[in-house]
Amino acid sequence: MPSPCPPPPARSAELRERFAEEVRSERPGLSALCLLVAAEGDGRLDEAGMDAVEIELDRLAGELPHRPGSPHAWAVALRDLLGERYGFHGLPDDYRRLESSLLHEVLRRRRGLPILLSVVWIEVARRAGAPVYGVALPGHFVVGFGASEGPGAGQVLADPFDGGRVLTGPDAELLVAGATGGSLEPSMLVPAGTLEVVARILNNVRAWAATRPERTDVGLWALDLALLLPSHPARLRYERAQLLVQRGEFTTGAAELEAYAEVVAAVDPAAADRIRGEALAARALLN
């Protein structure tokens, strides 16, 4: 199956408007935002398909035991249902597929990146009443149950990428050491907010596109959505301008480089001059 492609411009504009409204709402919905990201990435995902994902998440939640009890019992119940009965897990090959970052495809394939599998765990568990949240360990997203002050306070971590394996303290330390070479810090175990999760998903999409020069379309829509988040790095504007130049949109890219240079000039005049030079070079490509 070919890699998903973005929807037509009119559909894309509608999705972005809804995304902007959702991220600014009082309680942004995780599954709703992930589905808007997925629809922006895959033009085949229509409203009926988005509704079907929500219905399937509801159905899976209905198969969990009623109020399993402790955080550990919740983690085991999710592992037994999603990891063992339904086979949700991840493999190294999933990092090479755009579908691994699109919620509807992860639900269909039962495969995906750690963060998207964690979204499935969170949404199913939340619907069933579990004390659940995402935990953004460096390089590897997992799910937490119970109090969030750390394992000693009753927090239980599970790794959906490994089929929902319940992690011990040393397991979590090994994940962090493998990703960063450093130690597990208490600050790494705090719950990740909905918008933080969505930002990390979009970062993954951008990283996927960055290694595939033929898929600048994917990098561009991921950047455009990231720029709609209420809090985002200013440097994303620079990245977008560079991407436009890479795509051959020299006039628009140069204009955005110049606008970003004006922002940077107040704090780093030398960097602003370099960026203006890039804008001049982009305009020169028109001749």
Side-chain angles (χ1 to χ4, degrees), residues 49-131:
M50 295 168 76
D51 289 343
V53 169
E54 299 282 12
I55 291 169
E56 177 64 3
L57 293 170
D58 288 342
R59 186 190 70 80
L60 290 169
E63 293 196 20
L64 281 169
H66 179 67
R67 303 283 179 179
S70 68
H72 186 271
W74 274 110
V76 169
L78 267 293
R79 179 201 66 196
D80 291 349
L81 175 68
L82 298 178
E84 296 186 1
R85 191 189 312 175
Y86 284 100
F88 282 90
H89 69 290
L91 293 171
D93 181 62
D94 293 313
Y95 286 90
R96 295 190 284 271
R97 301 179 65 120
L98 177 59
E99 294 93 330
S100 299
S101 291
L102 306 180
L103 180 56
H104 67 301
E105 284 291 325
V106 172
L107 205 57
R108 180 184 69 84
R109 297 175 60 240
R110 300 176 187 174
R111 295 263 302 276
L113 296 186
I115 193 167
L116 264 296
L117 289 165
S118 293
V119 168
V120 174
W121 251 251
I122 291 166
E123 286 298 303
V124 171
R126 179 185 62 79
R127 284 163 164 79

Side-chain angles (χ1 to χ4, degrees), residues 3 20 44 56 100 102 114 129 132-133 142 164 168-169 175 223 231 255-256:
S3 184
R44 298 167 297 188
E56 177 64 3
S100 299
L102 306 180
V132 65
Y133 44 86
V142 298
T168 64
L175 284 176
L223 271 170
S231 177
E256 294 200 11

Side-chain angles (χ1 to χ4, degrees), residues 69-73 75 131 133 144-157 167:
S70 68
H72 186 271
Y133 44 86
F145 297 87
S148 59
E149 288 78 10
Q155 183 186 55
V156 174
L157 301 179
L167 302 177

Side-chain angles (χ1 to χ4, degrees), residues 1-54:
M1 180 182 294
S3 184
C5 290
R11 169 69 168 164
S12 178
E14 175 206 348
L15 292 168
R16 294 178 190 204
E17 182 177 351
R18 289 163 59 185
F19 184 88
E21 291 175 356
E22 188 69 28
V23 297
R24 286 170 171 78
S25 65
E26 185 176 351
R27 291 187 177 181
L30 180 57
S31 62
L33 285 171
C34 288
L35 284 171
L36 290 169
V37 170
E40 182 65 25
D42 186 356
R44 298 167 297 188
L45 180 61
D46 57 13
E47 294 303 314
M50 295 168 76
D51 289 343
V53 169
E54 299 282 12

Side-chain angles (χ1 to χ4, degrees), residues 235 238 241-242 245 250 253-254 257-258 271-285:
R235 188 176 172 82
Y238 179 50
Q242 290 182 309
V245 173
F250 303 121
L257 284 168
E258 290 162 352
D273 287 341
R274 289 195 299 272
I275 295 166
R276 291 189 186 102
E278 292 181 40
L280 286 173
R283 292 190 185 281
L285 293 171

